[in-house]
């Protein structure tokens, strides 16, 4: 006896009939699914009938001759769907070296798919080299720059149950979109309660920022507000914010764009920073507290009576009593505040 | 060659390149605006495809990064001299077609033509700093369009402007290459890196 072992692909919802290899219809057989016996109600003679299959019915199906239990047939049933129209996008984050295209299926097929991509530039067919990782991506080197001829990229996805395809057409300039700036750092500026110094680097994927300079867009806001402030910077990789609210924590992000063409990158990772604030004096160190003791405690003491009772300023014998009374009142007032 | 490499020549070159980059940027912005006006005035679909455009210097170039500084300047100059003639031809046709009724397109075309002429002169100045100087104008006649119908002529004009917009971007890039200290006027850069 021989066993046939292969993979069988069927659509979700389809009715599936499995024959037990070359066995006659009226031969007594037993079918198993993943090692579990299948009820006879699913059999029509030696045929296995599966109605409206679903994903849970994927698995190994085996057919054994009735009494001998010899394995006569085996198949691996994979239930899935034909591919829907794939989603395809192309982008150049490393201009002028080239561009990449990546794709995905809007819904899974549950069975293996193969992808074929073609790139046409005018009459020329170009090779899109598949990336090892991620798998659904390929890249192309530009053979020409500054061309007005559009690129047409067609992706075809095929599986055992069908195929589908999609195309995108674009200009060389239109797909240029750098990666976000890297290493964004924001620091307070000493002795400047309204400033924050922000710096960043060109994305490492941008191959030649000297010849193809980037411009930048910076946005910032205090955490407590929703409104962003924006600044566009045509050169340099740093900026000083000069209108920060004192003492408020800020969130800051930067985006990049080629100086001449394409679109803005996504926003960089957000960084947080709070402008410099002066330390309150009463919360300073013990040494500083000692130094300022006489000054600080004097604020709780009544003003020295000698000043009030400056003899030179007092006229007549009654002034002495006034001074004394004033001194008593002020001393009592001072005690209240200790 | 020695004169081209003197410090004053290098400074002058850098200054011309820097100003040229700004000129190219302004020119591109104006050409993009002109394209919008042209498409609207000529009743064209902005996304219409124009294939080969007769007599128009193509900005597309292979091995761009391997070009020498002199090559860049010569190719740019040839292109802008050609565009000068092409735009003049477009302007003349425009005036014939729309005449006084066109208050927007004619002046916009004239303004861009002026910038193209200025840029060509700028490139000539840069080439004078090179040992070879600018080539004489061969005075190639712009293409005859009499065999084209009205619609084809409109498409042709669209092709001219689109190609000019590409050139403006390329020129800024070319001039930036010239400002790099490692690149002399006639020395080629190293081989292009692989991705």
């Amino acid at each position: 006896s021989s066993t046939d072992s292969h993979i069988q692909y069927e659509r979700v919802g389809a009715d599936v009939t499995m024959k037990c290899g070359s066995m006659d219809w009226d031969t007594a057989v037993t079918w198993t699914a993943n090692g579990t016996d299948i009820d006879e109600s699913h059999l029509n003679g030696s045929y296995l009938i599966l109605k409206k299959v679903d994903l849970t019915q994927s698995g190994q199906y085996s057919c054994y001759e009735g009494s001998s239990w010899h394995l006569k047939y085996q198949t691996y049933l994979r239930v899935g769907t034909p591919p829907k129209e794939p989603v395809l996008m192309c982008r150049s984050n490393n201009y002028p070296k080239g561009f990449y295209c990546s794709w995905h299926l809007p819904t899974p097929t549950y069975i293996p798919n193969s992808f074929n991509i073609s790139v046409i530039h005018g009459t020329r067919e170009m090779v899109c080299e598949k990336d090892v990782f991620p798998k659904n991506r390929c890249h192309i080197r530009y053979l020409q720059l500054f061309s007005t001829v559009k690129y047409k990229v067609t992706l075809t996805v095929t599986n055992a149950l069908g195929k589908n395809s999609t195309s995108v057409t674009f200009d060389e300039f239109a797909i240029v979109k750098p990666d976000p700036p890297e290493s964004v750092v924001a620091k307070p500026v000493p002795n400047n309660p309204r400033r924050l110094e922000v710096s960043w680097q060109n994305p490492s994927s941008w191959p030649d920022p000297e010849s193809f300079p980037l411009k930048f867009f910076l946005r910032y806001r205090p955490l407590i507000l929703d409104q962003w402030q924006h600044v566009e910077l045509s050169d340099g990789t740093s900026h000083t914010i000069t209108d920060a609210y004192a003492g408020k924590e800020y969130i800051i992000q930067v985006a990049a764009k080629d100086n001449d063409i394409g679109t803005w990158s996504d926003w960089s990772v957000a960084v947080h920073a709070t402008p410099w604030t002066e330390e309150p004096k009463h919360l300073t160190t013990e040494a500083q507290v000692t130094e300022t003791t006489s000054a600080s405690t004097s604020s709780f003491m009544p003003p020295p009576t000698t000043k009030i009772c400056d003899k030179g300023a007092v006229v007549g014998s009654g002034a002495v009593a006034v001074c004394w009374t004033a001194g008593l009142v002020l001393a009592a007032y001072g005690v209240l505040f200790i | 060659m020695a004169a081209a490499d003197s410090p004053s020549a290098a400074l002058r070159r850098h200054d011309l390149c820097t100003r040229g980059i700004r000129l190219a940027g302004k020119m591109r912005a104006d050409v993009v605006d002109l394209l919008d006006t042209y498409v609207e005035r000529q009743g064209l679909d902005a996304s219409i495809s124009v294939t080969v455009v007769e007599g128009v210097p193509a900005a597309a170039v292979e091995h761009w990064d391997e070009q020498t500084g002199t090559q860049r300047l010569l190719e740019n100059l040839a292109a802008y001299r050609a565009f000068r003639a092409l735009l003049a031809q477009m302007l003349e046709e425009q005036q014939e077609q729309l005449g006084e009724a066109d208050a927007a397109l004619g002046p916009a075309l004239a303004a861009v033509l002026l910038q193209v002429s200025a840029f060509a002169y700028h490139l000539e100045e840069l080439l004078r700093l090179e040992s070879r100087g600018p080539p004489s104008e061969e005075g190639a006649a712009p293409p005859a369009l009499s065999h084209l119908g009205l619609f084809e002529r409109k498409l042709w004009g669209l092709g001219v402007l689109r190609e000019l917009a590409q050139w403006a971007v390329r020129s800024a890039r070319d001039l930036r290459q010239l400002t790099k200290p490692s690149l002399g006027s006639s020395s080629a850069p190293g081989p292009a890196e692989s991705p």
Side-chain angles (χ1 to χ4, degrees), chain B:
Chain B
M1 243 357 212
D5 291 343
S6 69
S8 58
L11 271 171
R12 170 87 178 128
R13 192 163 181 263
H14 191 272
D15 180 53
L16 281 170
C17 285
T18 308
R19 284 195 284 130
I21 290 166
R22 280 200 295 271
L23 267 174
K26 173 78 171 67
M27 185 164 51
R28 191 211 175 192
D30 288 352
V31 171
V32 167
D33 288 343
L34 173 56
L35 267 165
D36 289 340
T37 307
Y38 187 86
V39 159
E40 190 204 324
R41 289 289 178 195
Q42 302 289 22
L44 298 171
D45 180 349
S47 63
I48 195 168
S49 191
V50 180
T51 49
V52 177
V53 193
E54 196 177 329
V56 178
V61 59
E62 296 192 9
H63 310 293
W64 173 83
D65 53 337
E66 295 170 18
Q67 286 194 325
T68 65
T70 305
Q71 274 175 311
R72 295 178 195 281
L73 288 172
L74 287 172
E75 287 188 18
N76 272 266
L77 182 58
Y80 285 94
R81 281 175 171 174
F83 278 116
R84 194 167 51 196
L86 292 168
L87 287 173
Q89 186 180 10
M90 277 179 72
L91 194 56
E92 202 178 300
E93 293 219 354
Q94 209 51 46
Q95 283 163 351
E96 281 172 16
Q97 274 176 39
L98 297 173
E100 296 301 319
D102 174 31
L105 189 51
L109 266 169
V112 167
L113 172 56
L114 199 59
Q115 289 183 65
V116 164
S117 300
F119 197 73
Y121 177 75
H122 211 82
L123 293 166
E124 286 167 0
E125 283 293 296
L126 273 163
L127 274 162
R128 280 191 191 94
L129 289 177
E130 311 294 319
S131 56
R132 56 186 302 158
S136 58
E137 285 205 57
E138 289 171 5
L145 304 176
S146 52
H147 62 290
L148 297 179
L150 181 60
F151 182 68
E152 281 81 14
R153 288 191 203 191
K154 290 181 181 185
L155 288 186
W156 177 84
L158 181 64
V160 170
L161 296 178
R162 280 182 178 167
E163 209 62 52
L164 178 57
Q166 298 294 100
W167 265 106
V169 175
R170 177 178 163 180
S171 300
R173 312 287 199 193
D174 280 326
L175 293 178
R176 265 193 214 105
Q177 289 294 93
L178 290 177
T179 62
K180 279 182 163 180
S182 57
L183 291 175
S185 60
S186 53
S187 60
E193 293 173 11
S194 55

Side-chain angles (χ1 to χ4, degrees), chain A residues 30-337:
Chain A
T30 301
W31 283 91
T32 64
N34 297 325
T36 304
D37 286 7
I38 296 174
D39 188 76
E40 282 182 5
S41 61
H42 293 283
L43 301 186
N44 176 358
S46 63
Y47 297 172
L48 174 64
I49 311 293
L50 301 172
K51 296 263 190 203
K52 291 187 175 44
V53 291
D54 62 38
L55 296 172
T56 61
Q57 287 173 288
S58 292
Q60 188 171 67
Y61 289 79
S62 308
C63 176
Y64 300 90
E65 191 177 14
S67 52
S68 68
W69 277 93
H70 284 150
L71 179 65
K72 291 298 181 184
Y73 178 76
Q74 196 167 64
T75 188
Y76 200 94
L77 177 67
R78 298 286 301 265
V79 180
T81 61
K84 288 202 163 72
E85 184 179 341
V87 178
L88 173 66
M89 70 82 90
C90 298
R91 177 179 158 218
S92 175
N93 65 339
N94 62 343
Y95 190 81
K97 281 196 172 159
F99 64 93
Y100 72 85
C101 295
S102 66
W103 55 88
H104 67 273
L105 290 172
T107 53
T109 62
Y110 303 100
I111 59 175
N113 306 294
S114 64
F115 297 89
N116 185 269
I117 193 157
S118 80
V119 181
I120 309 283
H121 183 224
T123 55
R124 185 189 267 179
E125 181 150 6
M126 302 171 75
V127 175
C128 196
E129 293 177 31
K130 288 227 177 131
D131 288 350
V132 173
F133 183 80
K135 285 191 306 181
N136 59 336
R137 197 158 124 161
C138 67
H139 63 268
I140 288 197
R141 287 197 72 178
Y142 279 124
L143 298 177
Q144 271 187 345
L145 290 181
F146 314 111
S147 174
T148 50
V149 175
K150 290 183 191 285
Y151 290 80
K152 183 176 180 182
V153 180
T154 302
L155 174 74
T156 304
V157 55
T158 308
N159 68 20
L161 300 176
K163 66 198 284 188
N164 213 322
S165 67
T166 189
S167 288
V168 291
T169 303
F170 52 83
D171 290 316
E172 173 187 322
F173 292 171
I175 60 165
V176 175
K177 178 181 174 181
D179 287 328
E182 296 174 5
S183 307
V184 182
V185 173
K187 293 189 290 195
V189 178
N191 302 305
N192 277 281
R194 301 204 66 191
R195 291 188 175 217
L196 287 169
E197 219 163 61
V198 188
S199 65
W200 57 90
Q201 289 177 5
N202 289 310
S204 50
S205 52
W206 196 252
D208 189 1
E210 208 181 319
S211 304
F212 296 83
L214 296 172
K215 57 183 177 184
F216 301 96
F217 215 91
L218 188 133
R219 71 175 185 178
Y220 58 96
R221 64 173 173 85
L223 285 183
I224 55 173
L225 295 178
D226 291 332
Q227 191 87 8
W228 291 96
Q229 298 278 87
H230 293 97
V231 180
E232 186 168 332
L233 303 153
S234 58
D235 56 20
T237 53
S238 63
H239 177 71
T240 302
I241 295 167
T242 57
D243 61 350
Y245 290 115
K248 301 301 176 197
E249 185 180 352
Y250 271 75
I251 180 169
I252 299 143
Q253 289 178 293
V254 191
K257 181 186 168 302
D258 177 86
N259 219 41
D260 302 312
I261 62 176
T263 57
W264 288 97
S265 72
D266 292 341
W267 289 107
S268 70
V269 169
V271 295
H272 292 242
T274 306
W276 174 92
T277 49
E278 187 175 2
E279 291 286 348
K281 288 181 180 170
H282 64 282
L283 292 176
T284 48
T285 61
E286 187 180 335
Q288 287 168 309
V289 167
T290 307
E291 274 178 37
T292 56
T293 295
S294 55
S296 59
T297 50
S298 66
S299 64
F300 296 103
M301 290 295 287
T305 53
T306 51
K307 277 197 179 174
I308 297 172
C309 299
D310 183 2
K311 282 186 182 173
V314 174
V315 177
S317 60
V320 174
V322 170
C323 280
W324 176 241
T325 309
L328 276 176
V329 166
L330 289 168
Y333 194 71
V335 166
L336 280 176
F337 283 90

